[in-house]
Amino acid sequence: MAARAQIGVTGLAVMGRNLARNFARHGYTVAVHNRSYAKTQSLIAEAGHEGDFVPSESMADFVASLERPRKVVIMVKAGPATDAVIDELLPLLEEGDIVVDAGNAHFPDTIRRENALRAKGLHFVGTGVSGGEEGALNGPSIMPGGTRESYASLGPILEDISAKVDGVPCCTYVGPEGAGHFVKMVHNGIEYADMQLIAEAYDLLKQGLGASAAEIGKIFAEWNTGDLESFLIEITADVLQHVDAATGQAFVDVVLDQAEQKGTGRWTVQNGLDLGVPITGIAEATFARALSGSVPQREAGRAALPADAGSWEITDRDAFVEDVRLALYASKVVAYSQGFDQIAAASAEYGWDIDRGAMARIWRGGCIIRARFLNRITEAYERNVQLPLLLADEYFTGAVGNGLAAWRRVVAQAALNGVPTPAFASSLAYYDGVRAERLPAALIQAQRDFFGAHTYRRVDRPGVFHTEWSRDRSETREGDA
């Protein structure tokens, strides 16, 4: 088979299929392959008119149809399936070829694969792709890792098919090894927090106002014209105003209240613990999904646990709606701030040198968390590339500060009236924790020294100390004779 395809896609489920179509629509000759040839045939039958495709039934023919250096995009289920495809590809590839894993791989797997393929003279590019099937077809946000050498060859193609905001591609080189998949993982973690916060805002409006789903949907549609403008706010307004055809009820009211997850939020939280980064909003959002699926516990709780809650009476509807809006915005800023802290910590830990401002820039379009205020985040990191805390940027200090009283009112009212707001409340607690002059951690450290001789530091002189709690309570300093 003549080698004429500029890029290839193996794995033609919805995402792979749409990504291949996106390449073809942008004028690239695209080699396509799937384990089941029927899917390859159906792609050609349905979308063959959109561009130049080179279908292959075997992996050998697929690889042979690609120009050197070969660029192979793998779009299969993360985990063993990805390893199986790589194992099938390896004997067919040559030094300098590029293998792109565009699935939702766990970044340690990407580091392992990148090391293994580098030893064989191949480039492995772990690439985050966000935007779902619509984004894959019409322009996703793309987060490629790997070597800069591979990006020099692959990057222009990925930038070409990515979403554009103000003419700027939503794709950039992220960093070596697993950096691309790491950033995508954190993106998904922020997405978990964002979705939970929106759900809590919906619940607050429902419980506080007794409003219908359609009425709340109109509130979200209005919010989407201001600072909260984002893809998730937009689709929330749409979902809440949708009517179930079978029952005539609001669609959201016939959906079972058990949220599922595919693992990226859990990975983000686990990594946050490993790095010691307090991503409390993401963690609470992930645990909220787990709680929603804890059916036996929820059944027992409903049957036995008293509420002892007040009767919520809103006297000023518009003021309450505005309070919830301001609290939602502030909590969202916390979630993003924590996510960018996690990216900074991983970048330092692994030596990846990730540009956080560039990450905010490529998330402005194509991806699930695209939002107006990502422009503000980009600007914040342009003002200070080493910004230690996004919340401390002058814009966000002002924006969150303006809604602080509302945020406190919403969390307090929710608690008094028995409405769970784990993401709102934990985000406010984080805000108060990070701005506090002094934290009760001093007591915790003293306790640790008491029961485990774990030592402590003092505020008034340098050194590491221990008190002889079970003896005369004298204090010693490490290193003193």
Side-chain angles (χ1 to χ4, degrees):
M1 180 177 288
R4 64 185 184 86
Q6 293 148 294
I7 196 160
V9 179
T10 179
L12 301 177
V14 174
M15 285 291 288
R17 183 187 195 90
N18 283 359
L19 206 58
R21 291 172 63 192
N22 192 350
F23 284 126
R25 287 178 175 186
H26 280 81
Y28 298 101
T29 300
V30 188
V32 288
H33 168 267
N34 194 76
R35 190 165 52 88
S36 163
Y37 189 53
K39 279 194 175 178
T40 309
Q41 291 174 309
S42 75
L43 169 62
I44 301 304
E46 293 173 23
H49 64 281
E50 294 181 349
D52 192 4
F53 295 93
V54 183
S56 295
E57 190 165 1
S58 71
M59 188 67 86
D61 284 346
F62 169 71
V63 171
S65 71
L66 289 160
E67 294 176 352
R68 296 288 315 277
R70 302 179 182 94
K71 303 173 186 67
V72 179
V73 179
I74 301 173
M75 284 296 288
V76 300
K77 189 174 181 180
T82 301
D83 285 322
V85 172
I86 292 171
D87 289 343
E88 190 177 359
L89 276 169
L90 282 181
L92 306 170
L93 299 176
E94 298 173 271
E95 187 173 344
D97 288 346
I98 302 168
V99 178
V100 182
D101 175 12
N104 263 339
H106 196 193
F107 79 94
D109 289 337
T110 303
I111 293 174
R112 168 178 58 81
R113 292 164 182 151
E114 200 273 340
N115 287 334
L117 267 67
R118 185 171 5 105
K120 297 178 182 297
L122 302 169
H123 297 282
F124 186 77
V125 181
T127 302
V129 178
S130 179
E133 57 188 82
E134 186 79 14
L137 181 61
N138 298 316
S141 174
I142 308 178
M143 297 151 256
T147 62
R148 286 195 177 275
E149 183 185 350
S150 65
Y151 193 79
S153 174
L154 179 68
I157 300 175
L158 298 183
E159 290 179 13
D160 197 13
I161 69 154
S162 72
K164 310 291 187 301
V165 175
D166 301 328
V168 178
C170 292
C171 172
T172 192
Y173 176 69
V174 176
E177 299 176 327
H181 275 143
F182 182 89
V183 166
K184 176 56 163 56
M185 178 191 77
V186 174
H187 164 285
N188 284 24
I190 294 172
E191 179 185 311
Y192 273 53
D194 212 342
M195 293 173 72
Q196 176 65 24
L197 290 166
I198 290 170
E200 289 179 17
Y202 152 74
D203 199 31
L204 286 163
L205 295 172
K206 180 180 179 181
Q207 304 286 354
L209 301 176
S212 69
E215 289 169 335
I216 300 169
K218 290 177 182 175
I219 291 171
F220 274 92
E222 175 63 28
W223 286 353
N224 198 49
T225 64
D227 288 341
L228 282 172
E229 180 190 350
S230 67
F231 173 71
L232 285 171
I233 295 288
E234 177 188 343
I235 68 168
T236 299
D238 200 2
V239 167
L240 289 174
Q241 294 179 82
H242 181 59
V243 175
D244 176 52
T247 64
Q249 293 180 262
F251 172 74
V252 71
D253 291 337
V254 301
V255 176
L256 188 66
D257 62 337
Q258 296 174 20
E260 298 178 1
Q261 52 187 306
K262 289 189 174 179
T264 47
R266 188 163 56 245
W267 291 344
T268 309
V269 175
Q270 289 168 341
N271 176 259
L273 291 170
D274 291 340
L275 293 173
V277 180
I279 49 169
T280 53
I282 297 170
E284 288 294 350
T286 306
F287 288 131
R289 292 197 190 189
L291 175 62
S292 76
S294 300
V295 176
Q297 291 83 358
R298 290 181 64 195
E299 287 178 349
R302 279 194 295 266
L305 301 180
D308 195 18
S311 177
W312 211 338
E313 295 180 6
I314 304 298
T315 56
D316 189 333
R317 180 186 184 278
D318 291 345
F320 177 70
V321 170
E322 178 63 4
D323 274 2
V324 175
R325 185 189 73 82
L326 289 167
L328 175 58
Y329 186 83
S331 299
K332 280 164 67 82
V333 173
V334 167
Y336 282 74
S337 184
Q338 292 177 346
F340 280 100
D341 281 351
Q342 185 172 8
I343 290 172
S347 182
E349 175 75 15
Y350 296 105
W352 286 339
D353 194 25
I354 298 173
D355 181 341
R356 289 174 292 171
M359 297 309 98
R361 188 166 58 249
I362 67 172
W363 287 349
R364 294 182 304 163
C367 70
I368 303 302
I369 65 170
R370 60 185 183 266
R372 178 189 290 191
F373 84 157
L374 280 160
N375 284 311
R376 298 293 193 176
I377 296 176
T378 302
E379 292 164 4
Y381 287 115
E382 286 174 350
R383 281 190 288 272
N384 181 2
V385 71
Q386 299 298 333
L387 184 66
L389 178 72
L390 183 62
L391 281 165
D393 172 75
E394 59 188 31
Y395 171 79
F396 289 108
T397 300
V400 173
N402 288 339
L404 189 54
W407 197 7
R408 296 194 189 286
R409 282 193 295 270
V410 166
V411 171
Q413 288 173 327
L416 288 169
N417 290 283
V419 178
T421 54
F424 271 48
S426 68
S427 297
L428 179 57
Y430 172 84
Y431 176 91
D432 282 331
V434 80
R435 68 164 190 85
E437 186 71 29
R438 186 166 169 82
L439 292 168
L443 176 58
I444 294 170
Q445 198 60 16
Q447 291 169 330
R448 294 181 73 241
D449 189 60
F450 191 111
F451 66 68
H454 292 299
T455 72
Y456 53 88
R457 295 180 185 273
R458 297 178 59 99
V459 298
D460 55 355
R461 57 184 186 270
V464 177
F465 297 85
H466 168 61
T467 293
E468 299 291 345
W469 295 101
S470 60
R471 297 177 185 174
D472 60 0
R473 301 207 171 189
S474 62
E475 183 178 72
T476 58
R477 181 166 60 183
E478 283 191 358
D480 288 351

